[in-house]
Amino acid sequence: MDADVIVIGAGLAGLQSARRLQRDGHRVIVLEAEEAVGGRIRTDVIDGFRCDRGFQVLNPAYPAVRSWIDLAALDLQRFGVGAAIRDATGIRTLAHPLRHPRHALGTLTSSRLTAAELAGLARWIVPTLLRATVASRATDDETLHDSFDRVGLTGPLRRDVLDTFLAGVLADSSGTASANYVRLLVRSFALGAPGLPSAGMQALPEQMAASLRDPVRLATPARAVREGAGGVEVSTDSGALRARAVIVAVDPQRIGELTDRPAPATHGLTTWWFSAPQSPRRGRFLVLDASRPGGGPAGPVWNTAVVSEVAPSYAPAGRHLIQATTLLDRPDGRADEHAVRRDLERIYGVSTAGWEVLVHHVIPHTLPAQPPPLVDRRRQRIGEATWLVGDHRDTASIQGALVSGDRAARGLDGILTA
Ligand SMILES: Cc1cc2nc3c(=O)[nH]c(=O)nc-3n(C[C@H](O)[C@H](O)[C@H](O)COP(=O)(O)OP(=O)(O)OC[C@H]3O[C@@H](n4cnc5c(N)ncnc54)[C@H](O)[C@@H]3O)c2cc1C
């Protein structure tokens, strides 16, 4: 045997499985197809700018992050708790009045925050906030839009803020995601201010990989998995490896290459990264567009942020970094640079003539779909010695990927030590 367990894939789920198994005293080999760890969490450094592969944030309130990640070492640079909303009259910031007192008056007098909608929002989220864990996730579930309708969230707060913000988070503007899943995400947003590690999002998986005794074998794709008497054989381009068990931690669209399980449906987005000589807007808030008559974005950009205002380490001194996200389930999700620039000029009210595109990330498989009913503890043992892990087995998030990896490792530990 080359190891007790072979882990295929060094995304968060695979890395957490490997770390847990190592801690429990098992010999682990981790194979990664790419030349770096991280999977969907990678950071490109371009001309001194840190461009994450698709805009994303780390929420320090995720229970798995609090338990297993050294957050202090990541040196999170936090977003403001709220959002800046663009409409025909300008940009107004809606922010947590206690955390951002400067915006308290504007927030509390905003016509978007009607008493009826705030009461609806409270009915929608407070029960989830009060529970330490969210039980009965699969029962009483429904689509996000139905759940908003049911509590009377039908006005401008929903149209201009919640629907647009959540579509960006889910990479899904259809409103058909599981309401219970979204409640879990919103709970984390309510309990913690998301941020960006000073070295980029990839610092998260790199921290995890650094604690492995045997380094991840990079640029080593697994080609096939075969169960046999007493264990498994994993083929690679440089020969076969044998172990007592295998954890398949590959991205959702690749599951079918190594197992007999179907790939889950996924949602996608694109992120444009621009450098600029001046910041188009001061402040640490995500900017949402609500300029379409009737609410919501008027163009292809669903959210944008001056990332260097939040995370100065993402740009060289004196320069600025702007992200703009489009959604692939929208007809204009693949809008070209010209259309995106035009939209950003309208949103920020500045010319983008001096801006340069650093990179455009198109990520069709950003997140697995999570329709109701929410099943967040999917079966992971799919053979005598084969486990399948990833955010598609739990919740479609950093939290879900970590929990999925950890859950499989704990299950396997019981079997390996029996
Ligand atoms: C643009 C974007 C924005 C996001 N925003 C957020 C956010 O704000 N908050 C949040 O909580 N989550 C967010 N997510 C989701 C989060 O990043 C994922 O849920 C999580 O990273 C998934 O980890 P994973 O280990 O399940 O899978 P992956 O990260 O996909 O890892 C799979 C790994 O397997 C490797 N692999 C594939 N095939 C093979 C093979 N044959 N052999 C060896 N290795 C192989 C891949 O190279 C990859 O490294 C976002 C994701 C993206 C892409």
Side-chain angles (χ1 to χ4, degrees):
M1 291 278 171
D2 297 288
D4 294 318
V5 181
I6 296 170
V7 175
I8 304 175
L12 299 188
L15 289 170
Q16 182 58 25
S17 314
R19 292 205 314 172
R20 169 73 67 185
L21 286 164
Q22 174 183 283
R23 205 169 321 155
D24 291 340
H26 306 293
R27 288 178 307 135
V28 188
I29 291 175
V30 184
L31 305 178
E32 169 53 50
E34 298 291 321
E35 73 297 343
V37 301
R40 274 170 276 163
I41 303 188
R42 297 281 302 276
T43 305
D44 295 330
V45 179
I46 304 168
D47 297 341
F49 291 90
R50 296 179 198 280
C51 305
D52 296 325
R53 287 202 190 160
F55 173 64
Q56 63 178 302
V57 294
L58 176 58
N59 196 319
Y62 280 148
V65 170
R66 290 204 333 241
S67 303
W68 304 321
I69 303 300
D70 181 354
L71 271 171
L74 292 178
D75 182 26
L76 271 198
Q77 304 162 97
R78 316 257 178 152
F79 277 83
V81 182
I85 315 297
R86 148 65 68 189
D87 64 17
T89 65
I91 300 190
R92 274 181 75 161
T93 301
L94 297 181
H96 192 299
L98 298 179
R99 296 204 205 175
H100 304 282
R102 197 162 70 82
H103 296 291
L105 187 61
T107 300
L108 296 172
T109 56
S110 166
S111 59
R112 288 203 168 87
L113 301 185
T114 63
E117 274 202 299
L118 285 175
L121 183 60
R123 278 199 298 282
W124 188 81
I125 190 63
V126 168
T128 309
L129 283 178
L130 295 179
R131 272 179 244 149
T133 57
V134 182
S136 11
R137 290 165 178 162
T139 56
D140 300 330
D141 203 359
E142 60 194 322
T143 67
L144 179 62
H145 278 186
D146 285 349
S147 74
F148 281 165
D149 288 345
R150 206 166 37 76
V151 297
L153 258 171
T154 51
L157 174 60
R158 151 104 175 257
R159 255 186 358 245
D160 295 342
V161 185
L162 297 174
D163 280 350
T164 309
F165 172 71
L166 291 171
V169 171
L170 303 167
D172 172 11
S173 67
S174 70
T176 58
S178 148
N180 284 350
Y181 158 59
V182 182
R183 283 191 180 94
L184 289 176
L185 292 177
V186 172
R187 179 177 197 271
S188 296
F189 280 111
L191 298 179
L196 298 169
S198 58
M201 283 296 288
Q202 196 173 330
L204 168 62
E206 277 175 355
Q207 177 189 105
M208 298 174 72
S211 65
L212 292 175
R213 242 185 333 266
D214 295 323
V216 172
R217 299 189 187 182
L218 299 172
T220 309
R223 299 296 182 194
V225 171
R226 205 160 48 85
E227 290 202 356
V232 290
E233 188 176 277
V234 175
S235 317
T236 72
D237 296 342
S238 51
L241 294 164
R242 285 172 196 79
R244 292 174 67 191
V246 64
I247 294 181
V248 178
V250 304
D251 24 319
Q253 72 273 21
R254 299 238 151 71
I255 291 169
E257 295 170 16
L258 297 175
T259 76
D260 60 0
R261 301 295 143 137
T266 53
H267 297 294
L269 55 74
T270 92
T271 302
W272 291 84
W273 293 98
F274 293 92
S275 70
Q278 272 99 36
S279 170
R281 182 173 171 78
R282 304 305 312 271
R284 295 182 293 123
F285 294 96
L286 193 68
V287 182
L288 306 175
D289 186 24
S291 306
R292 193 178 56 209
V301 175
W302 276 62
N303 66 60
T304 171
V306 186
V307 173
S308 48
E309 291 277 346
V310 181
S313 65
Y314 269 53
R319 305 280 299 166
H320 294 276
L321 178 67
I322 295 111
Q323 75 81 17
T325 294
T326 70
L327 301 183
L328 290 174
D329 69 356
R330 307 299 301 179
D332 54 4
R334 289 185 189 268
D336 64 11
E337 181 185 335
H338 177 70
V340 170
R341 277 180 185 269
R342 217 176 38 218
D343 213 24
L344 290 171
E345 291 187 350
R346 183 183 56 75
I347 291 172
Y348 287 113
V350 299
S351 163
T352 63
W355 297 17
E356 280 170 26
V357 175
L358 292 162
V359 62
H360 177 211
H361 292 126
V362 180
I363 307 167
H365 305 290
T366 299
L367 285 164
Q370 197 102 51
L374 176 59
V375 181
D376 63 347
R377 294 288 184 272
R378 285 175 200 278
R379 194 179 161 76
Q380 301 197 118
R381 189 174 186 178
I382 59 166
E384 199 48 43
T386 306
W387 269 255
L388 179 61
V389 306
D391 59 351
H392 54 95
R393 309 310 290 172
D394 202 276
T395 53
S397 63
I398 289 170
Q399 160 77 13
L402 290 170
V403 168
S404 169
D406 201 71
R407 189 157 59 93
R410 279 186 283 117
L412 247 173
D413 176 51
I415 291 165
L416 293 172
T417 50

